[in-house]
């Protein structure tokens, strides 16, 4: 047996030992459907169950179930929508809605502009990027347009604007 083959065999054996010695994931403590539903239908700003958030972040199966619940109740969602930008305005399609971000100027913060033709306007926006989630309440539309100031002094709003500019950010309009 060559040195390379022996080294590969040792690496393979070491990986197998490491997998066997890892503590088994406790799947019996996965959040149930009721817990996930309560989290998915919560109002923005309400307290969250940190154990549930940790489970969504750490367990891919729980994260998939949570996203499926959000998608099921969403007016529109974009799991991995691609953002388009010409430098001045970032925009993306989310179902029948267009989300645009107008840049800040010296007097005003950036603005999230949400236009759509759905019969019922969304009340909440939730963005997911990696293991981070931001949820904001949306004001009622004015002439069919919802405007949200992405004020840097409001951490959730500022982070939402940053997340929406990322191509891999999932967006749920609830």
């Amino acid at each position: 047996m060559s040195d390379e083959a022996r080294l590969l065999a040792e690496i393979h054996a070491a990986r197998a030992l490491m997998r066997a010695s890892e503590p088994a994931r406790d799947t019996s403590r996965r959040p149930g459907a009721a817990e996930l539903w309560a989290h998915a239908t919560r109002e923005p700003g309400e307290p969250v169950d940190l154990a549930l958030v940790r489970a969504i972040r750490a367990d891919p199966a729980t994260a998939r179930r949570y996203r499926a619940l959000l998608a099921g109740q969403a007016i529109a969602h974009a799991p991995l929508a691609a953002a388009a930008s010409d430098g001045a305005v970032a925009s993306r399609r989310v179902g029948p809605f267009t989300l645009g971000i107008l840049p800040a100027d010296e007097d005003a913060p950036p603005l999230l502009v949400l236009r759509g033709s759905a019969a019922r306007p969304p009340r909440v926006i939730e963005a997911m990027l990696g293991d981070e989630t931001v949820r904001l309440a949306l004001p009622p539309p004015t002439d069919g347009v919802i405007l949200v100031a992405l004020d840097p002094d409001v951490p959730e709003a500022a982070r939402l604007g940053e997340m929406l500019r990322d191509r891999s950010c999932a967006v749920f309009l609830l």
Side-chain angles (χ1 to χ4, degrees):
M1 182 184 287
S2 70
D3 288 337
E4 289 118 8
R6 185 178 11 260
L7 181 61
L8 286 173
E10 289 174 5
I11 291 171
H12 183 70
R15 282 186 181 162
L17 284 173
M18 287 177 63
R19 281 191 207 117
S21 65
E22 287 179 358
R25 283 194 176 161
D26 182 15
T27 58
S28 65
R29 189 48 215 135
R30 278 193 177 144
E35 291 171 294
L36 288 173
W37 181 253
H39 187 70
T41 58
R42 76 191 186 285
E43 290 297 320
E46 280 186 3
V48 296
D49 180 355
L50 294 179
L52 180 65
V53 171
R54 192 172 21 255
I56 292 170
R57 289 180 176 178
D59 183 23
T62 301
R64 279 191 303 274
R65 289 173 51 218
Y66 177 68
R67 284 180 182 233
L69 283 174
L70 277 180
Q73 71 167 343
I75 296 169
H77 75 285
L80 294 172
S85 174
D86 64 2
V89 177
S91 66
R92 69 188 321 169
R93 294 287 301 167
V94 179
F97 296 93
T98 301
L99 279 91
I101 299 176
L102 298 176
D105 62 16
E106 61 275 349
D107 297 331
L111 287 176
L112 172 65
V113 180
L114 180 63
R115 289 184 175 94
S117 59
R120 177 173 71 95
R123 297 180 316 107
V124 175
I125 183 171
E126 184 163 332
M128 298 176 125
L129 182 61
D131 65 353
E132 187 176 9
T133 301
V134 174
R135 179 178 277 222
L136 280 181
L138 296 172
T142 304
D143 294 328
V145 177
I146 297 173
L147 294 174
V148 178
L150 301 174
D151 191 347
D153 293 335
V154 180
E156 294 86 8
R159 185 61 189 137
L160 177 68
E162 294 168 12
M163 291 171 72
L164 290 175
R165 288 181 180 99
D166 192 305
R167 294 178 182 273
S168 58
C169 178
V171 179
F172 298 88
L173 298 174
L174 309 166

